[in-house]
Every structure is written in structure tokens, then in C-alpha cells.
Amino acid sequence: MKTKVNIMASVLTLVIAAMFPTVLPAKAPDVFAVGLKCNMMADPVGIGNDGVFLSWMLDSDGSGVMQTAYRIQAGSSEEDILSGKADKWDSGWVKSSETVYIPYEGKPLASGETCYWRVQVKTNAGRTGWSPVARWTMALLSANDWKAQWIGFDECAEGEKAEGGNTRLAARYFRKDFTVSGGSRGDSGIDRAVLYISGLGMYEAYVNGRRIGDQVHSPVVSDYDKSVYYNTFDVTSLLEPAGLNTLGAAVGNGLYFAPRNPGLRHFGYPKLLARLEITYEDGTVQSVVSDDTWAVSADGPVRANNYYDGEEYDSRKEMPGWSEPEFFGKSSEDMKARWMAASIVDAPSGRLKAQPNPPIKVMHTVKPVSVTETEPGKYILDMGQNMVGWIRMSGKVPSGQEVRLRFAELLNPDGSLYTANLRSAASTDVFIGNGMEFVWRPSFVFHGFRYVEVTGCPEKPDKDDFVGEVIYDMMPFSGTFSTSDSMIDRIYGNATWGIRGNYHGMPTDCPQRDERLGWLGDRTTGAFGESYVFDNNLLYAKWLQDIEETQREDGAISDVCPNFWQLYNNDVTWPSAYFNIALMLYERYGNAEPIKRHYPSMKKWMDMMASDHMSDGIILNDTYGDWCMPPESPELIHSQDPARKTDGRLLSTATYYYLLGVMERFAVIAGHEADIEGYRDLASEVRKAYNEEFQNRDASGNDMWYGNNTVTANLLSLVYGLVPEGYEETVFRHIVDKTVNDFNGHVSTGVIGICHLMRTLTGYGRADLALRLATNTGYPSWGYMVEHGATTIWELWNGDTADPAMNSANHVMLLGDLLIWFYEDLAGIKTAPGAVAFSRLEMKPYPVEGLDRVEASYDSVRGRIGSVWEKKEDGKFEWNVTLPANTSAEIWVPSAAGTAVEVSGKAEFLRDEPGYSVYRIGSGNWNFVSELHP
């Protein structure tokens, strides 16, 4: 018998039913609608023009709970909603199991309007009560609503430099005094005050001397010639209800005022746009907008701020009270002379848009583990972790004395900073004392570092004087993962630090050298794995807009997005990130909007590649090859051995064939079914041409491989379905033979091949080899990085020996599909084929020899999914599974043929598969115990 399901309890139930046939069924378990979000944010302020989408989760301890219908109510006030008055929208009962990205279909909403909403659902366990009331607030929906002007100071002050390489420019400080009018009669209280603001490149805003929010480096980066993002804040609590108030903003350079000119695109001098809208209880509205009545100063304490070189802060230049009322009335003539009337300046070319994703914030802090004096007056802080952010420093420094902080990821053998891999980035912050106690951190720069060289301190610093503040886009961890193998756990930890360090309003390649840009090729598959660790939905949805905005009229897109570097190589592998990330957002989060929005752009690119860069079914262009594959010599960045390098035409053509299949799916989602036949016809042509050009056979015709038989050439052919039926195992054997024999059981792929290696090995029965690759400590491997001191992921497999010209110690591109393998193949947490956003799972863990325990969780848009398995000393396999309400799963329980599986609940047995017993389960907590060996 396959299943033992609480036999005694079942017998007792039958006896009771026979004795008392009229006994009522047990009360349905409690079910609640929770976690209400608008555009996947809780109670957001500032929703723009791209639509309003509502989501929720079901919370229930019951088993097998599924939603069958929902009803949404939306109204003008919380009171109205609680009383049942839905004056904006009442959806009525909608038969649907969906809980994510439900489009708002109510009355049109005005700029700045707040809408309150709640949801009630029907389930197979009964109907819920109404959820708690949530809300969202619209942003400014028309450019005409601003009634504000861009202001600035568009010239270089003394000592500033706008071109000629490394630029230098001080922060611009803006201020405006205004009086709260009190409404039409002068005595009305403030109902609400909302600030809409954009400062380019980045700003910090104040009301009456108090900082607005805790975000940093806002707004997020963009191609400022296409889009300019702004932020929205409710500042009601910061205003004085009567009398004088002050708005202030400090604006830094970011990537708007280029840190290298020439070198990067240069958009202009820092500038500010602001609108404060005060609504009084009597319904009247007062507006305070940026114009030439504001004052500006370029003579404040931030003397220079450069994205690559660092920030210089002179505390002698501080302007106490500069963002408070009566500042000029209390100031000396010298202080007043440092200010002037702001100028009306040219607006950036880009269209104003409400920022669609959460801001960057200080998310963690790290304390130094040691302070070492390397020579008199020079100290090295070791943070113990390669991190991204800055140092917050406190103490007392004599007036005029400079304390310099130089940042680096690594040390030289003599203990000094290793800065060769920073290239031209100075990565230095300077604080100049004024003789007073201080607490300081920079405002407009960041660094990638583990080590900090400190000079200029009047005495040996104490490590408690320094705190590392870690910054990245505000998003929660979505996953946890641990195993019985300490090396896997360390690699996972390094990956999480690398990922967060490369989220900065866009996914970046690296955080430390003179680059820090959004390279497409780094994320083609990595984004999928990252989504198990962080809730990166909104960041990547924003990045897709960045990608489309680089598209030229001919259809080409830049390899770097936003295109601060304009690189149009018209290859395939790098731009494939555009498609893969849209697919990730749909499969992981149920977010179909990016596919619908960007489908025309994607099709334009596909058509351009076919018409301009394809010959007889073969894509001719490739720029990067299998980037950063392990070279034959330790000092090399790229291999020079033709036997190791995969034909770029093969890479491009295989990837293009795969993208044709992706576009078939997208055509259905986006409502362009008429395009499907064309994709299929072209795919058939490409598949035929690919095999004619790249397929190889031996004289017998029984053996088959692709290209020059690299692992990557065979991987892509196999994964993308280009191998003729019946030859899959033959091609796979070459992958194994090459890995085991030619590379001694180590990785031989670069960025392209590593995207598929771990899952392909496991799927074709060699999970043991995948585990070997994951736990290797010899070169090349992830474990080699760990053994050589890495606390993040290197750019190169040989990052400890390669030329420093391209040798970042904090990249994530070489992770490939490793994180996906951790969660999907080791822990078994995976959306089932054909399902979306974990509504239905296929959970199939591989209990590979050498691992005794795997524990993982993932906070999906449906709720938390848990998987914990362990091999017991008696040979049994115990697996605990948690599924949230409104989900189901096909569970593949590892088990030996002919052995029983103990199940804690009523699971439906489906079938036996080699090495597995397969069940169907619904939501709830489940326990499975099986025999791994007969």
C-alpha cells in the first residue's frame, strides 16, 4: 500500500458517522484576505499613468483552500468603504481564483486623488469577511498639473569642472520660504499636504529643517532624454499649520552631470522641480512651486560629489538652518552672499513620470571587525564583508583638517589597499573638520568596498567611530536557503551580498569601478535566481522601460541600459535579457503588463535581427562570445584557445531560435495571436539551418555534438530544443565527458553556458556532477572564490590572478542558474509547467548523495512556500512541505520502488515514477516519510 493516512482517525470517523448520521460537518477553517497591495506596494503614494493593479493573499490554516470568486470595493474615503459605499468601483462577484494584478476598472481618478479599497473572497471553505481597508494615491497625471519650473545654477563656480575627463561640481542647495494661508478664510486647518519633487541627478528634500523620508539617491536613474522620474510624499505632519514654513532641497550630480565627460553621456547641470500642494479642510488648495523666487547656493558643505570619485564635505561651509524659516533674517551678510536667486533653466528632454518602484534606502549596517595601523597615521578598516554603500563616521576633527576615506574591495600583500581594479575611480570621500563633534556620511555617492583606508585622524580611530551603511533598492528578502553543506551555504550568502550590492535603481554590473552600469548580459538568467532571494519585481519592471528607451528607429537596443554608454552591437545574447526578464516577471509574479507594454518593441527588435543580421537562417552577429569562460592561463581575462571558445554565430542563432518560442508565448499574452504563425515558420527555418551549420556526427551517424564540442555549444543546442529527437542523451554525454575529463569535473563555461549548466546536468540524471561543481573548491569554481577570501561573487573565475583591467570582486553574472538550481532542484520549489506565479507547483527535490538536509522558503505572491527535507540515519527521507492558500502542488516524493510513503494528510496518489512517488496536494502543512533504498 502506498499511503498510510491516519488510519485510526479514519476508522473512528466512519464509526461516528454510522452512529450519528446527522452530525454537522466541521466548521470551515478561518480564511482571511490579507497583504493588500496596489501595483505591488502597500498603500502607495504617487501612482502614475501606467495603470492601477490590485493584489492580495489568502491566509488560512485550513487544508486545500482555494479562492473561487472575489469582490472589490473602492471609494473616496475609508468611512465610505466601511459603510459599504463604493462610489468609485464595486466589481461585484467575479468568478476567478486570481489574486494578483487585478486591474482597477472603476471611475477615472484625478491627479493626487486617494482611493480606498477592500476585498472579499469566496473559497471552497466558505466566504471571508471584508479585508482591512487599504489605499493608494495618484500622482500628477498630466504635465499641466505641475505649474512649476525647473530651476538651477547652470554654470561652474570657482574650482568646478564640467568637462575634460573627471568632472568636479559642488551640490546645489535650494530653499523657499512660504506662509500657510489657512484656506479661503485664513483659519482653515490643513487636511493634506503633498510634495511632488524631482532633483537631477539626485536630491535630499527638507521641510522646516526636517528630512523628508529616509530614501537616498532619489529619483532612480533613467535616460533623462526619455524619462525623468519624480517622487511623491505626504508631508502634512511636517508643516506648521500657521505662519512661515520652508522647503529645502540639496541636489547632487549622480549620472545626470556625468562623472566622466567625455566618457559617459552628459545631460547638464543639477536642477530641481517641485510642487507642494496644500489642501485645506475647507477644500481650498494652495500651491508652492519651484520658480525664480527660490534661492540657490553652490557654496554649501558638499564641495564635490562624483559618482565614481567620491564626495568632499567641508563642515566649515555648513549653513545651520538653511532649510528652516527665517534663515536669511538670522544670517550674517557673508552667509547671505553665498546665496542668489535661482535661475529658470531648460527642462530635461525626458517625460516626467511618477517613479514606479520603491526607492533606494539604507537597508543594513555593518560594523568594522578591525582597525589596523599600516604606517604612521594610516589605518585600514576591515568591514569583514564586501558591501555597497558608505561609511558613517563620528568624532571630532580640528578645523581645516582633512580626514580621507579611500575605499577598496581587496588588499595588497603588504596590507595596503588594492585599487588597480577600480581603474580611474578615485573612490575617496573627504571630510574637513570644523573643530566640533560631528556625525557624517556622504549624500550623493556610494562605494563598493570591504576595506577603508583612513588618514588624517588626530588620533588612532576606534572602530566604533565607523559604521558601514548598506544601500540598495528597498525590497524585502523573499527567500531563505540552507543545507547540510557549509560551502553551499557560504556561496549562497556571497550571492545574496553580491545581488543586493548591484541593485541601484537598475541592476548594475559592478558597484566599485568607473562603470556601475546596467549591462544586459549579466542578467539574462540571473534575474530568475535573484527573484528567489529578493522581491525584485518592480525594479526589473522599471528596467525593462529603460531597455525600451534605448531602442533606435531601426530596432536596435543598447547592450547597456540606461545607455549612459551607447553600445549598439546587434548581437543576440545580451539583448535576450529584455525578453527573459519580461518572462521572469510573468512567471514569478504574474506581472503580464511588461509583456503587453513592450511587445511591439520586442517584435521590432526580432524583425530587425532577422532582416539585417540573418543569412540563410543563421544569425551572423556576436560580440561577446561565452563571456568570461575560464581561460587557459591565470593572468588572462579571456581565453585565447580556439578549442575553448564557442562560435558566436552558434550562440546567437541558438538564442534567437529560443526567443522565437518566447515570442509565441508573448503574442498570446499581449493579444497578437496573428504573429504566431510567422514565429513558427521562422523557427522551423532557423532550426533546419542551425543543424546543417553546427551539427556534427561521427562516421557511424550514432554520435552527435555541436560546434567545436564545447560544453556551451552542446548545452544551448540541448536546452533550446535544437537537437533532433532521439539524440538528446548523446549530446548530453558530451557535456558530461567534457566537464569530467577535459576539465577535471570543473566549470568550463562563461556567462552564456553557466545559465543552463546546473539544471541541465540535474534534469538529465547527473545531479551528482552538479553538486560536485557547486561544492568544488579548486579553480575554477564558486568555492574557489570563497576559499580565496571572497564574500561576494567575482567577475572572473580567476579573479585572484587576472589582469585588473576587468576584475571586479563584486559581480553576479557568473552565478548563472546556480540559485535557480538551489531552490528548484535541491529544495523543489518550482512553478509547474503552464502555471503562473506559483498558483500550481511541481515540487521535485533531488536528494543527491552528499547532501543530508535542505531547508528553504520562498515568499511568493500567493504566500510562503516551505520545503525542508532531511535524510535520516535509518535510511528514511523526511520532507515537510508548506503551501499557502490558493495553491496546489504535484509532489514528487523521493522513494525507492515498492516502498510505502507515509503522508500526514489526505494527499491524492497519482503515480510512480523512477525514484519517486507522485502526489497531488493542496494548501497546508504536509509531512512525507519515505524509504530512499529498498
Side-chain angles (χ1 to χ4, degrees), residues 69-98:
Y70 65 79
R71 181 184 179 187
I72 297 171
Q73 289 186 334
S76 301
S77 70
E78 184 171 5
E79 293 75 16
D80 285 346
I81 287 295
L82 290 174
S83 66
K85 181 183 177 183
D87 62 322
K88 296 298 182 183
W89 184 38
D90 191 329
S91 70
W93 283 107
V94 178
K95 290 184 178 180
S96 173
S97 62
E98 192 54 83

Side-chain angles (χ1 to χ4, degrees), residues 476-620:
F477 277 88
S478 55
T480 63
F481 181 84
S482 65
T483 72
S484 56
D485 189 285
S486 60
M487 179 54 69
I488 286 180
D489 290 356
R490 291 178 68 185
I491 293 168
Y492 179 81
N494 284 11
T496 66
W497 276 100
I499 293 165
R500 77 187 82 172
N502 282 290
Y503 284 163
H504 203 84
M506 58 182 169
T508 61
D509 61 331
C510 62
Q512 76 295 91
R513 67 187 180 215
D514 55 357
E515 197 166 346
R516 313 182 195 188
L517 300 175
W519 282 90
L520 299 188
D522 293 25
R523 307 297 173 135
T524 54
T525 296
F528 284 85
E530 295 165 23
S531 70
Y532 278 121
V533 182
F534 292 99
D535 182 358
N536 59 18
N537 178 11
L538 299 181
L539 173 66
Y540 273 110
K542 177 264 180 186
W543 198 42
L544 290 185
Q545 182 64 32
D546 293 335
I547 295 173
E548 176 167 338
E549 289 179 355
T550 72
Q551 191 165 42
R552 300 189 311 202
E553 284 301 314
D554 64 357
I557 61 176
S558 175
D559 293 341
V560 173
C561 301
N563 58 347
F564 300 109
W565 285 353
Q566 295 179 301
L567 298 177
Y568 291 88
N569 290 308
N570 293 329
D571 57 14
V572 179
T573 52
W574 260 233
S576 69
Y578 192 15
F579 304 79
N580 278 340
I581 289 168
L583 182 62
M584 181 275 286
L585 296 176
Y586 180 63
E587 291 186 342
R588 289 287 193 270
Y589 302 104
N591 187 358
E593 295 311 305
I595 295 173
K596 298 174 184 177
R597 184 176 303 126
H598 302 297
Y599 179 87
S601 165
M602 293 174 175
K603 186 176 188 301
K604 185 176 184 179
W605 181 86
M606 294 289 290
D607 292 345
M608 180 269 297
M609 291 302 298
S611 63
D612 297 352
H613 304 287
M614 179 184 289
S615 177
D616 297 325
I618 301 298
I619 297 288
L620 303 178

Side-chain angles (χ1 to χ4, degrees), residues 580-877:
N580 278 340
I581 289 168
L583 182 62
M584 181 275 286
L585 296 176
Y586 180 63
E587 291 186 342
R588 289 287 193 270
Y589 302 104
N591 187 358
E593 295 311 305
I595 295 173
K596 298 174 184 177
R597 184 176 303 126
H598 302 297
Y599 179 87
S601 165
M602 293 174 175
K603 186 176 188 301
K604 185 176 184 179
W605 181 86
M606 294 289 290
D607 292 345
M608 180 269 297
M609 291 302 298
S611 63
D612 297 352
H613 304 287
M614 179 184 289
S615 177
D616 297 325
I618 301 298
I619 297 288
L620 303 178
N621 282 30
D622 179 70
T623 303
Y624 304 103
D626 193 15
W627 189 253
C628 293
M629 65 161 296
E632 60 276 10
S633 184
E635 76 282 357
L636 292 176
I637 292 174
H638 301 296
S639 173
Q640 304 302 311
D641 180 3
R644 292 170 176 251
K645 300 165 71 173
T646 305
D647 188 334
R649 297 175 307 137
L650 182 152
L651 300 175
S652 288
T653 305
T655 305
Y656 189 84
Y657 175 80
Y658 157 75
L659 292 178
L660 287 167
V662 172
M663 287 300 285
E664 276 194 50
R665 293 184 63 185
F666 286 2
V668 174
I669 295 166
H672 293 274
E673 290 86 351
D675 295 338
I676 292 175
E677 184 177 357
Y679 296 136
R680 289 177 177 171
D681 289 346
L682 184 54
S684 178
E685 177 188 340
V686 170
R687 190 174 194 273
K688 181 175 182 294
Y690 182 88
N691 278 283
E692 290 175 352
E693 182 70 17
F694 302 115
Q695 182 194 108
N696 297 292
R697 300 191 188 212
D698 67 355
S700 70
N702 295 323
D703 196 7
M704 183 182 292
W705 65 95
Y706 283 81
N708 58 344
N709 202 23
T710 62
V711 168
T712 294
N714 289 314
L715 267 174
L716 266 59
S717 304
L718 190 60
V719 170
Y720 292 157
L722 287 156
V723 177
E725 185 176 356
Y727 286 88
E728 294 88 350
E729 291 290 344
T730 301
V731 172
F732 177 70
R733 187 179 69 247
H734 284 285
I735 295 172
V736 173
D737 289 347
K738 200 79 172 177
T739 301
V740 172
N741 299 324
D742 291 8
F743 290 89
N744 193 30
H746 285 72
V747 170
S748 67
T749 65
V751 169
I752 306 302
I754 202 65
C755 290
H756 309 285
L757 182 60
M758 303 297 285
R759 289 172 294 167
T760 303
L761 289 173
T762 302
Y764 278 85
R766 291 304 306 269
D768 62 317
L769 182 53
L771 182 65
R772 179 177 174 182
L773 297 181
T775 55
N776 277 337
T777 56
Y779 171 78
S781 66
W782 299 288
Y784 177 84
M785 301 178 191
V786 172
E787 289 292 301
H788 287 75
T791 59
T792 45
I793 304 296
W794 293 345
E795 180 176 18
L796 303 173
W797 295 110
N798 55 330
D800 58 330
T801 58
D803 187 325
M806 197 189 86
N807 197 0
S808 159
N810 193 352
H811 259 61
V812 294
M813 64 184 183
L814 289 182
L815 284 171
D817 69 346
L818 181 66
L819 294 177
I820 307 173
W821 184 73
F822 284 166
Y823 278 90
E824 295 186 359
D825 288 344
L826 293 188
I829 298 175
K830 181 181 180 182
T831 296
V836 176
F838 300 91
S839 59
R840 184 166 46 86
L841 291 87
E842 180 184 84
M843 303 187 72
K844 183 182 180 182
Y846 290 83
V848 60
E849 189 70 28
L851 275 186
D852 296 323
R853 178 186 59 81
V854 170
E855 182 172 350
S857 68
Y858 173 62
D859 290 333
S860 75
V861 292
R862 318 287 179 185
R864 176 162 293 187
I865 301 163
S867 173
V868 181
W869 62 255
E870 186 174 8
K871 298 173 185 175
K872 301 293 186 180
E873 292 184 0
D874 60 4
K876 291 187 176 182
F877 178 88

Side-chain angles (χ1 to χ4, degrees), residues 167 441 775:
T167 60
R441 55 90 168 157
T775 55

